[in-house]
Amino acid sequence: MDSNPIQSFDALPHNLRECFLDMALFLEDQRIIASSIIDLWSALYGKESFICMNYLQDLASHNLLKLLPLGRNEYEDGFYSELLVKQENILREFAINQCEKESSSIFERKRLNLEIQENKFPNWCLNPKQPIVINASLISISTDDSFSSSSWFEMDCPNVEALVLNLSSSNYALPNFIATMKELKVVIIINHGLDPAKLTNLSCLSSLPNLKRIRFEKVSIILLDIPKLGLKSLEKLSLWLCHVVDVLNELEEVDDVSETLQSLQEIEIDYCYNLVELPYWISQVVSLKKLSFTNCNKLCRLIEAIGDLRNLEMLRLSSCTSLLELPETIDRLYNLRFLDVSGGFQLKKLPLDIGKLDKLEKISMKDCYRCELPDSVKNLENLEVKCDEETAFLWKRLKQKMKNLTITEEETEHNLNFLHLF
């Protein structure tokens, strides 16, 4: 091994060393969405997302990973799903070796990487003479496309705070031993197969008292199952490239969501192609501050009840190309500071009374040149609008009556790194 990685690692402060070692939880030779890593560090270390982004940049400056922007304001306004992270295999192997040096016993290591190929488990999992107790704080479990979820063994993981599941099979049942992880703060489930994996046994996550973040990537999931889990500490829910299963009679099946998800502040849903409309229960999560639906090409409308999200500060609806209009009830989102409808080239108009949102500071409207602006926008003081040249023309006509209006023109960027997402 070249000495440079070792020298770079040795030069890091303690917190960045820990972050570098955490990268070994993800599979080799993968482009990792930056949000996945930031969710991990935010939950583990209690840091704001922009600080975790700084950690990534610091590691990149030491050549311990590469940042691959997709070229569309990749980390504007705390949104990191359009930034990829790549770590060379040799660096991941070095990180794993460092983790193994911490203890000769796999049961006592801080980080445990468990790789299962063709249903062949490590010897220590087979026919144990006493219950298996894993004292790790971070666990990564990787399985291939032949893995059968019925093969799970039992183990007790009382200290685990972070769990990363890398799967490749078309059907995947979460292991029951997750229910023993009472200190669990973050779960990241990444499917590396071609099609979304059908995910079952979500009930093992139920009532985990410290679970703050859940991230699903490329799985098939019933969104209505989330509020049924009773996760009162959950702060962020993320879905990327997931297949969303519809449920009939949704209104009759949901209990008091404002109570069961009382800490949920952020929902981020990206590239969920079959999502047509927002589930009603989301409008009941009154604690929400950030709601993001991006690249959901079939999303054609928002429910009127979205106006009940009185604490919402950020509403992101970028690249939802079928979205025709926003509900008039958006004028009840009195704490809204940022609205993003960029890429909504079919959007016909903004809500009639959007001017009531006196805390609104920024609107992103790139490629919204067909959108009609109501007269009430003139009441928005100190507004910044980011848009393309054609959409800017709509706003420039209001410049005389909106003295503090700032218009920033941006051209659409294209980047081949985008192809590595799929």
Side-chain angles (χ1 to χ4, degrees), residues 143-385:
T143 54
D144 62 9
D145 56 2
S146 63
F147 178 72
S148 171
S149 300
S150 61
S151 303
W152 283 121
F153 56 93
E154 292 301 320
M155 62 180 182
D156 189 13
C157 309
N159 301 319
V160 172
E161 297 182 3
L163 175 65
V164 179
L165 298 176
N166 295 295
L167 55 120
S168 299
S169 49
S170 57
N171 293 280
Y172 191 91
L174 297 182
N176 289 325
F177 57 71
I178 291 180
T180 71
M181 300 178 178
K182 298 303 181 182
E183 299 300 318
L184 192 61
K185 295 179 180 178
V186 54
V187 176
I188 299 174
I189 301 172
I190 305 174
N191 172 29
H192 299 275
L194 294 177
D195 299 312
K198 183 179 180 181
L199 199 63
T200 56
N201 198 30
L202 263 67
S203 60
C204 68
L205 299 172
S206 180
S207 301
L208 289 174
N210 295 297
L211 188 57
K212 298 179 181 299
R213 297 193 176 219
I214 301 177
R215 183 175 181 87
F216 300 105
E217 295 189 12
K218 205 187 293 188
V219 300
S220 178
I221 188 171
I222 300 174
L223 275 179
L224 189 59
D225 286 342
I226 302 299
K228 295 178 180 179
L229 296 176
L231 299 172
K232 292 190 176 183
S233 296
L234 188 66
E235 296 176 357
K236 183 179 179 182
L237 171 67
S238 302
L239 289 85
W240 179 81
L241 203 65
C242 290
H243 181 271
V244 178
V245 180
D246 290 329
V247 175
L248 298 176
N249 302 319
E250 179 191 352
L251 297 180
E252 300 176 7
E253 297 190 38
V254 182
D255 294 326
D256 186 0
V257 177
S258 62
E259 175 65 23
T260 57
L261 293 173
Q262 59 187 255
S263 301
L264 187 57
Q265 296 186 18
E266 187 171 357
I267 295 178
E268 187 176 287
I269 297 181
D270 194 22
Y271 287 105
C272 290
Y273 289 113
N274 73 317
L275 183 69
V276 176
E277 63 181 11
L278 270 64
Y280 180 79
W281 65 263
I282 289 180
S283 68
Q284 298 175 297
V285 187
V286 293
S287 55
L288 272 182
K289 292 184 177 181
K290 297 181 180 181
L291 182 59
S292 177
F293 287 82
T294 55
N295 300 294
C296 297
N297 292 335
K298 290 188 178 181
L299 182 66
C300 57
R301 74 180 190 95
L302 302 183
I303 53 177
E304 295 287 328
I306 195 174
D308 296 335
L309 298 176
R310 56 182 178 271
N311 292 304
L312 199 67
E313 298 176 2
M314 177 185 292
L315 178 58
R316 186 184 293 272
L317 301 163
S318 64
S319 299
C320 294
T321 56
S322 296
L323 194 62
L324 299 177
E325 60 183 13
L326 304 180
E328 295 296 332
T329 52
I330 279 182
D331 64 18
R332 303 207 307 260
L333 302 178
Y334 296 119
N335 286 297
L336 196 67
R337 300 179 183 276
F338 175 49
L339 174 64
D340 184 356
V341 290
S342 56
F345 59 84
Q346 294 199 66
L347 191 65
K348 297 179 180 178
K349 61 180 181 178
L350 293 181
L352 188 64
D353 290 324
I354 195 173
K356 291 181 179 179
L357 304 179
D358 54 11
K359 291 184 179 180
L360 190 61
E361 300 170 351
K362 184 189 295 187
I363 300 179
S364 184
M365 291 188 64
K366 191 184 297 182
D367 298 324
C368 295
Y369 47 85
R370 298 176 180 172
C371 185
E372 180 181 335
L373 304 180
D375 287 340
S376 69
V377 297
K378 300 171 187 175
N379 299 326
L380 299 173
E381 299 181 1
N382 302 310
L383 182 68
E384 178 185 359
V385 177

Side-chain angles (χ1 to χ4, degrees), residues 122-137:
N123 291 334
W124 58 266
C125 302
L126 306 174
N127 303 315
K129 295 181 180 179
Q130 55 188 10
I132 299 174
V133 179
I134 300 295
N135 288 310
S137 297

Side-chain angles (χ1 to χ4, degrees), residues 393-418:
F393 177 74
L394 303 175
W395 287 96
K396 287 178 180 178
R397 291 182 298 180
L398 304 174
K399 190 75 173 172
Q400 268 193 327
K401 297 181 179 179
M402 300 177 70
K403 301 296 184 183
N404 296 321
L405 175 64
T406 301
I407 303 172
T408 303
E409 295 183 28
E410 296 180 337
E411 294 303 317
T412 302
E413 298 179 11
H414 301 283
N415 192 310
L416 292 180
N417 287 329
F418 177 80

